Amino acid sequence: MTSSFPHRPTMVVVTGAAGFIGSHLVQGLLDNGLEVVGIDRRTPETDAIARLNLRDVTGHPRFSLFSGDLSFVSLNLLVRDAACVFHLSAIPAVRASWAEFERYVTANVMATQRLLDACVQEGVSKVVYASASSVYGPAEAPSGENDPAQPISPYGITKLAGEQLCLAYAKRPASRLSVTALRYFTVYGPRQRPDMAISRILAAALAGEPFVIFGDGTQRRDFTYVGDVVAATIAAADIEVPATVINVGGGSSISVSDIIAMARTVTGNPVPLTAGAAQAGDVPATAADLSLARVLLGFQPRIDLQTGMTRHAQWLQKLPADLLRTYGPPPTTDQDQSAPDSPH
Ligand code: NAD
């Protein structure tokens, strides 16, 4: 998507703009000449990370950030005139969703419904929704979009509900809203959330602190570099299929043991390990069938694991010491640091 008006850039909205993937998407959209309105909520716990994530785009003449919670603020004025709404805000992570289901339902389902209502009322024609591989549940072979969705975590259930809600709005009679739901497979790269495995493994290697492996290290994930995810997400704004779901993955399934070995290669340091029990909601493996993404989005993952983890480690190395500690604190039971990341 590029700006079609030389004097008035096309405006798009990104929810979850201060988050890991959202902040990269904002940068990608600005690079394409668009005007970007970001929406995110501020909390004392996440403020330092949000500021860090948005450091490169703060002050950009085509970027503005609205601080507010999608569950409460009036959204109509914000989405009015948007050529596309990229809906990335959600509470992510599998493990905490067992204990905090109501919070997940509010942020991931109810807020999505409020946003969709505002989009319909304001005549927005396109929504791109950030769905997740965790909607699939356990799978033997690469998951295709027509395979059954059988999430095994409360988080996965809320992501599936949000996705299906989007599709239901798009399929309503006389609907003018087109929705593309992208099922992201475990995303990594600079600014990856500090609760996620690659961040924690790299931070452990850099700080010489132990990484707790939940399970035996044979769990496999389809890891996707964040720049590839941004490319797919921007491409999704332009496809004309009215209601569709598309996988976005890195193209290979890699075990946590491989990630630990790669962390050693890219940092030059060993990763101290501590054993932990396998966690509820973690599936043994994820892998994406990317056939549809290739056809509809022209998608091809470009960044291999070594290149992506090298960039990720370089970014961590530049963090001030107090923030590096945020990325590698001692494990607690409610953080998503399985081996590798929970399915997402
Ligand atoms: P993140 O936590 O870094 O970003 C999410 C942002 O949404 C945060 O900045 C948060 O403050 C904001 N937010 C949450 N609820 C909100 C609300 N009610 N109102 C306003 N803002 C709110 O997460 P991320 O890893 O960047 O994930 C982005 C999206 O991608 C999520 O929808 C997630 O479910 C999905 N996803 C992520 C991954 C992954 O590997 N990171 C994989 C699959 C899917």
Side-chain angles (χ1 to χ4, degrees):
M1 192 167 44
T2 51
S3 187
S4 44
F5 306 103
H7 301 300
R8 186 170 149 233
T10 301
M11 189 274 275
V12 296
V13 168
V14 177
T15 74
F20 159 46
I21 304 170
S23 61
H24 283 278
L25 178 62
V26 167
Q27 182 72 68
L29 292 163
L30 291 171
D31 291 347
N32 276 354
L34 297 158
E35 179 184 337
V36 183
V37 174
I39 309 175
D40 209 302
R41 63 178 172 194
R42 305 295 285 268
T43 64
E45 300 79 47
T46 58
D47 210 38
I49 288 179
R51 263 188 280 114
L52 185 72
N53 287 348
L54 290 174
R55 191 172 53 188
D56 294 347
V57 296
T58 300
H60 192 291
R62 280 183 280 106
F63 176 61
S64 53
L65 180 69
F66 178 85
S67 294
D69 191 315
L70 261 76
S71 301
F72 306 115
V73 298
S74 172
L75 295 168
N76 287 55
L77 274 179
L78 293 167
V79 301
R80 189 170 294 168
D81 300 329
C84 180
V85 172
F86 296 91
H87 180 32
L88 274 69
S89 78
I91 302 183
V94 169
R95 203 149 300 114
S97 68
W98 292 102
E100 301 173 39
F101 190 55
E102 194 173 333
R103 211 163 65 87
Y104 277 69
V105 171
T106 303
N108 298 2
V109 185
M110 306 300 286
T112 298
Q113 189 270 339
R114 290 190 85 237
L115 181 69
L116 289 165
D117 262 354
C119 287
V120 169
Q121 285 159 15
E122 298 302 330
V124 173
S125 60
K126 182 82 199 188
V127 168
V128 177
Y129 173 76
S131 187
S133 61
S134 51
V135 303
Y136 285 116
E140 295 293 323
S143 300
E145 293 82 351
N146 291 325
D147 290 347
Q150 295 174 329
I152 60 165
S153 69
Y155 163 72
I157 288 163
T158 63
K159 291 305 290 184
L160 182 60
E163 174 193 295
Q164 293 298 313
L165 198 57
C166 288
L167 298 178
Y169 269 75
K171 290 176 185 166
R172 285 207 299 197
S175 170
R176 287 185 292 142
L177 183 68
S178 157
V179 171
T180 305
L182 300 177
R183 291 179 176 168
Y184 297 156
F185 283 65
T186 313
V187 187
Y188 75 101
R191 306 183 210 143
Q192 190 195 45
R193 300 195 322 267
D195 59 292
M196 294 185 72
I198 293 190
S199 269
R200 300 183 68 80
I201 290 170
L202 286 170
L206 293 171
E209 290 176 5
F211 170 73
V212 177
I213 295 189
F214 291 137
D216 61 6
T218 57
Q219 302 97 314
R220 305 181 77 81
R221 295 287 177 269
D222 193 330
F223 290 99
T224 320
Y225 186 70
V226 65
D228 287 329
V229 169
V230 166
T233 305
I234 294 176
D238 283 333
I239 66 169
E240 285 171 9
V241 189
T244 193
V245 173
I246 308 174
N247 287 338
V248 176
S252 55
S253 196
I254 295 160
S255 74
V256 71
S257 305
D258 294 336
I259 293 291
I260 289 167
M262 185 61 81
R264 184 178 188 133
T265 304
V266 303
T267 64
N269 298 338
V271 181
L273 297 176
T274 306
Q279 300 290 301
D282 282 354
V283 296
T286 66
D289 179 338
L290 294 177
S291 314
L292 195 59
R294 281 192 202 97
V295 173
L296 291 182
L297 304 176
F299 177 69
Q300 183 62 41
R302 307 233 171 260
I303 302 298
D304 64 35
L305 188 72
Q306 180 156 356
T307 308
M309 279 185 66
T310 301
R311 291 182 189 176
H312 194 153
Q314 286 167 344
W315 178 80
L316 280 169
Q317 273 171 312
K318 286 190 201 138
L319 285 181
D322 55 331
L323 270 173
L324 180 60
R325 269 196 297 282
T326 306
Y327 281 77
T332 62
T333 50
D334 66 352
Q335 282 176 320
D336 178 15
Q337 52 177 5
S338 58
D341 306 302
S342 298
H344 280 291

